[in-house]
Amino acid sequence: MTEIKRAFSMVWDHFSLVTPNKVQCSLCSQRLSFNKNTSAMLRHLRSRHPSEAWYSNSTSGAHANISSSTSGAHSSFSSSIISSAGVHSSFSGTAGLNSMFTNSTAAGHHIQVRTTRQEDLDDALVNMLVKDTHPFSVVEEEGFAAFIQKLDPSYNLPNKQALKKMVESRCDIINHNIMSQIEISNFVSLTSDMWTSIDKDSYISVTGHLIAENAQLSTFLLGISKLPENHKAIHIEEAKNQLVASWGLHSRVAAFVTETGGNMVGTVQKLGILQLPSFAHVLNLVIRRSIDATSELQEIRSQARAIVAFFKLNQNAEMRLAEVQGQLGRTGQKLIQEVDSRWNSSFSMLECLFDQRESVAAALSTLDTDIIPLGSADYEVIHQCLGVLGPFNQATAELSSEKRVSASKVIPLIRMLKITLEKKHSAATHPAAMQLSSSLQRELQASCNVVETEPVLALSALLDPRFKMLAFGNLGYAQEAVKLLTSECASLIRSNPDNIDTLPPPAAGSATSSPSSPQTAPWVMDTAPLSAEASPSKSQDGGLWEIFDSKVGETQSVQSSTADAAVEVQRYLSDPYLNRAENPMHYWEKHSKVYPHLFQLARKYLSVPASSVPCERIFTKAGDVFNKKRSCLSMKAVEQIMLLNNGLV
């Protein structure tokens, strides 16, 4: 039994099967329950033995040759990720997972891959089931089996149990490579959100974000946990703690981005991790409050919802609208109904209704309904208010992106929104548009007035070559951010003294900030043992001055690292600005050797997302997984399906 399982997972190098239901770790002798999968063993290795090279080259190679006698559990998924050619090249894949596997191969984790037709078709089948969230039982349905037999009689269709083993094998590979990238990157940013399934069960999911070795932003699912029926803050805290601890991330989290709800914020703070609000949700609250405070726009919005609902729910009305659109030479664009939780859906509804105003009015005039159409005065209000809200719609879209750097945009976007609002308020002629812009200015000032003082946001903006110091509206805050960046850069230099020689020589006349004068800098004459490197050679004074000499050496070391850090920071800040449309990580990929320490900090802070929307997209897909044909799915199976689905979007 052990030999069969070893063919599928490399973790068996550190575990032995002691009973049919128990395995023992060879590193610490701890026994774990064994339930025909390696999930518990993987978590044990990550949390208890993170420094062990259990994913070494020899291990990767040893378990790559999978015996062809084990039908149903194939590890050829690695071929679709590692190589750019093959059956799965049609899947675009997220930059995260694809780059992870590419990096692991480049780093020496070579996996020997078989490429038989049976395995290629098995891979394609699993991809289809995972990407389209079909139940595994589809392979046991007569119609599907007959279709496959007609399509390729030589293909041996695997059963449901074999498919589950294939999925488990894929997840082991993905989790191993995610862990490898976390180890290399040192820091990861997290997002979390709660959601409810079709069966009214509550879940919490956590996604991770990091800058991979190739300077590309990677997003991946870390886990999903089911909450008790009457979940409280303690249950949320336990679920988050378990998901973070299972990956050994407590000391590696740069920031944890969540919604602004008290439960979500409080539980992250109890974990001892820096919590950042989801700024897409902050803007959502700002705009919702402002719209609600604009009574005339609120009345028009309610009337617009009624009009859209009428056409959505009445088939004859919908058909009539399509006919009128055709007669007017307009495309058959359907009206958009708003969603209460997303303000930009209200924007899209009003924008679409304004664009189709002639078609809607003509269709309503020929239908038997009590719905009152909007008049020209109403559409003028919509037009001016859309102009005020347009920049916020653009900002929300940019902050919700998971494939581009986003946290660095928060400070400059808030600043640009304030400047734009002033112009919109001056240009507005209708009282409703003026009232809306005034409310937005007040709400934005109240909610986002201190963003420039948030260290994570300040450093991410400063490390984005598109923004740097120009991102800040307050010069004092910008200078404080530069000091903080220099301090963190100096700490990196001191912790990696072997890399000091990699710094480029300072340009002639380069100005550097001076550290505190050693004559006035306070220090304590502690009696802690001195290291061999820090202790000067004892002279004939018998060691009387040993402590003083060591303090001089430490001061000189700090002064040297601070000066080197100041040079690196100033040279970076004096570089030309990157075009705003370009990817800042392309810049850092090219300059990783020029600014080695700043590159490390860029990987830390530019990985922070500006919102928890990436996590929300996970449970949006999960709605397709929970259906009537999958009422008995285990939590682990759901997590595996979503992990693979997230890599095939």
Side-chain angles (χ1 to χ4, degrees):
M1 182 175 183
T2 303
E3 292 302 318
I4 294 177
K5 291 300 292 182
R6 282 178 63 86
F8 307 141
S9 178
M10 60 189 72
V11 301
W12 286 97
D13 269 352
H14 298 290
F15 285 90
S16 58
L17 191 66
V18 293
T19 71
N21 297 318
K22 290 285 185 180
V23 293
Q24 182 171 332
C25 176
S26 60
L27 298 173
C28 65
S29 301
Q30 182 176 343
R31 292 194 176 190
L32 306 174
S33 298
F34 177 65
N35 191 26
K36 298 182 180 181
N37 64 66
T38 60
S39 303
M41 292 182 278
L42 279 171
R43 287 195 175 96
H44 175 81
L45 287 174
R46 295 187 193 112
S47 59
R48 297 295 180 87
H49 313 290
S51 61
E52 293 294 331
W54 58 276
Y55 45 82
S56 64
N57 300 354
S58 59
T59 305
S60 299
H63 297 291
N65 299 308
I66 300 176
S67 172
S68 59
S69 62
T70 56
S71 63
H74 303 291
S75 183
S76 55
F77 169 64
S78 52
S79 64
S80 66
I81 301 292
I82 294 174
S83 63
S84 58
V87 172
H88 311 298
S89 60
S90 59
F91 291 120
S92 60
T94 60
L97 293 181
N98 282 331
S99 63
M100 283 180 184
F101 286 102
T102 303
N103 291 337
S104 295
T105 305
H109 303 291
H110 300 292
I111 300 178
Q112 183 178 343
V113 179
R114 297 175 303 156
T115 56
T116 67
R117 177 166 176 76
Q118 174 74 28
E119 293 163 348
D120 286 344
L121 292 177
D122 283 346
D123 267 352
L125 174 62
V126 173
N127 278 343
M128 181 198 75
L129 296 179
V130 170
K131 184 175 177 63
D132 298 332
T133 61
H134 293 302
F136 293 158
S137 59
V138 70
V139 297
E140 299 177 349
E141 296 178 359
E142 294 183 5
F144 184 78
F147 171 72
I148 295 298
Q149 181 66 21
K150 190 74 173 178
L151 190 66
D152 189 348
S154 65
Y155 177 52
N156 182 23
L157 189 65
N159 58 28
K160 183 168 64 174
Q161 288 70 29
L163 286 175
K164 290 181 179 179
K165 292 181 179 179
M166 294 180 198
V167 168
E168 180 181 337
S169 177
R170 288 185 175 206
C171 289
D172 285 348
I173 297 173
I174 290 178
N175 286 331
H176 156 61
N177 283 277
I178 289 175
M179 194 64 202
S180 298
Q181 283 299 313
I182 292 175
E183 292 285 347
I184 295 171
S185 301
N186 293 324
F187 287 97
V188 61
S189 300
L190 304 179
T191 58
S192 180
D193 210 346
M194 292 189 299
W195 46 281
T196 304
S197 70
I198 192 173
D199 296 326
K200 306 302 180 183
D201 293 324
S202 297
Y203 297 86
I204 186 169
S205 54
V206 176
T207 57
H209 310 263
L210 57 80
I211 305 295
E213 279 187 298
N214 60 354
Q216 296 299 314
L217 184 63
S218 299
T219 298
F220 44 87
L221 176 66
L222 286 177
I224 300 174
S225 182
K226 187 176 181 179
L227 297 172
E229 183 176 352
N230 296 321
H231 59 271
K232 299 180 181 179
I234 185 64
H235 301 137
I236 301 174
E237 181 183 352
E238 289 175 354
K240 287 182 180 179
N241 187 53
Q242 181 181 6
L243 290 173
V244 173
S246 64
W247 289 87
L249 296 179
H250 276 104
S251 62
R252 297 177 179 269
V253 180
F256 204 139
V257 180
T258 68
E259 290 189 27
T260 55
N263 281 354
M264 299 296 283
V265 174
T267 53
V268 172
Q269 292 176 345
K270 288 182 180 179
L271 294 178
I273 298 174
L274 174 66
Q275 187 273 341
L276 280 182
S278 170
F279 281 90
H281 292 86
V282 171
L283 285 185
N284 185 71
L285 291 175
V286 166
I287 298 163
R288 282 293 183 204
R289 292 168 183 164
S290 300
I291 292 177
D292 292 344
T294 309
S295 57
E296 188 171 357
L297 177 61
Q298 184 72 341
E299 293 176 2
I300 293 174
R301 172 171 159 254
S302 299
Q303 191 175 351
R305 293 182 66 172
I307 293 173
V308 174
F310 172 72
F311 283 103
K312 288 286 185 182
L313 300 176
N314 191 314
Q315 185 178 7
N316 291 332
E318 189 175 24
M319 292 176 59
R320 179 55 185 158
L321 177 60
E323 291 176 3
V324 173
Q325 287 174 335
Q327 294 171 0
L328 296 177
R330 308 297 300 271
T331 57
Q333 181 181 359
K334 293 186 177 181
L335 301 181
I336 299 173
Q337 183 61 283
E338 71 173 6
V339 180
D340 289 334
S341 60
R342 292 173 49 241
W343 87 266
N344 51 346
S345 66
S346 302
F347 181 90
S348 298
M349 177 188 71
L350 294 174
E351 185 179 46
C352 181
L353 197 60
F354 180 81
D355 186 54
Q356 299 291 323
R357 60 190 182 280
E358 296 177 356
S359 302
V360 170
L364 285 175
S365 65
T366 61
L367 293 169
D368 184 14
T369 177
D370 295 332
I371 297 294
I372 302 174
L374 295 171
S376 57
D378 297 325
Y379 281 117
E380 177 60 25
V381 173
I382 292 176
H383 177 63
Q384 289 204 26
C385 289
L386 287 177
V388 174
L389 293 172
F392 285 86
N393 186 54
Q394 181 183 350
T396 300
E398 293 197 30
L399 293 178
S400 302
S401 174
E402 65 179 283
K403 295 182 180 180
R404 298 294 297 271
V405 171
S406 56
S408 63
K409 291 183 176 180
V410 172
I411 290 177
L413 271 178
I414 297 299
R415 183 185 176 195
M416 292 301 102
L417 284 174
K418 291 179 178 179
I419 295 173
T420 304
L421 269 178
E422 292 179 2
K423 295 180 179 179
K424 295 288 184 181
H425 182 75
S426 300
T429 57
H430 198 282
M434 297 173 66
Q435 183 181 359
L436 176 62
S437 60
S438 297
S439 297
L440 286 169
Q441 286 176 313
R442 288 194 303 271
E443 292 290 342
L444 196 62
Q445 180 69 15
S447 302
C448 305
N449 189 39
V450 295
V451 291
E452 294 189 8
T453 64
E454 169 54 52
V456 171
L457 297 179
L459 289 177
S460 61
L462 204 58
L463 286 165
D464 193 321
R466 298 172 297 178
F467 307 129
K468 300 182 185 178
M469 293 184 67
L470 285 180
F472 298 83
N474 186 306
L475 181 59
Y477 293 153
Q479 292 172 342
E480 287 298 321
V482 173
K483 290 180 181 178
L484 181 58
L485 180 61
T486 304
S487 175
E488 292 215 16
C489 187
S491 297
L492 271 181
I493 294 175
R494 286 194 294 272
S495 63
N496 298 281
D498 295 337
N499 296 331
I500 293 179
D501 292 338
T502 63
L503 284 171
S510 295
T512 61
S513 57
S514 300
S516 299
S517 173
Q519 286 87 350
T520 58
W523 53 278
V524 179
M525 296 284 278
D526 55 51
T527 58
L530 299 172
S531 64
E533 291 86 355
S535 301
S537 60
K538 295 184 179 180
S539 60
Q540 296 180 353
D541 54 33
L544 176 63
W545 290 93
E546 184 176 354
I547 296 177
F548 179 84
D549 292 340
S550 70
K551 290 299 179 181
V552 172
E554 291 173 7
T555 302
Q556 289 175 339
S557 175
V558 171
Q559 181 177 356
S560 176
S561 60
T562 303
D564 289 339
V567 170
E568 187 170 349
V569 170
Q570 292 302 325
R571 283 171 63 86
Y572 159 69
L573 292 177
S574 63
D575 270 359
Y577 282 84
L578 193 68
N579 187 288
R580 191 176 54 80
E582 295 186 39
N583 187 342
M585 295 317 302
H586 291 166
Y587 169 91
W588 283 114
E589 185 177 18
K590 295 178 182 178
H591 293 77
S592 60
K593 304 299 182 183
V594 181
Y595 309 118
H597 305 99
L598 290 181
F599 173 60
Q600 294 183 50
L601 293 175
R603 292 180 68 183
K604 174 182 178 179
Y605 290 108
L606 294 184
S607 69
V608 179
S611 74
S612 59
V613 171
C615 202
E616 293 178 21
R617 293 193 177 108
I618 295 293
F619 69 73
T620 299
K621 295 179 187 176
D624 297 330
V625 176
F626 291 96
N627 53 52
K628 293 181 180 179
K629 290 188 176 183
R630 286 181 154 174
S631 57
C632 297
L633 267 182
S634 67
M635 191 65 255
K636 188 60 183 177
V638 173
E639 188 176 276
Q640 290 176 339
I641 292 170
M642 295 313 303
L643 173 64
L644 295 183
N645 183 281
N646 191 48
L648 293 175
V649 293

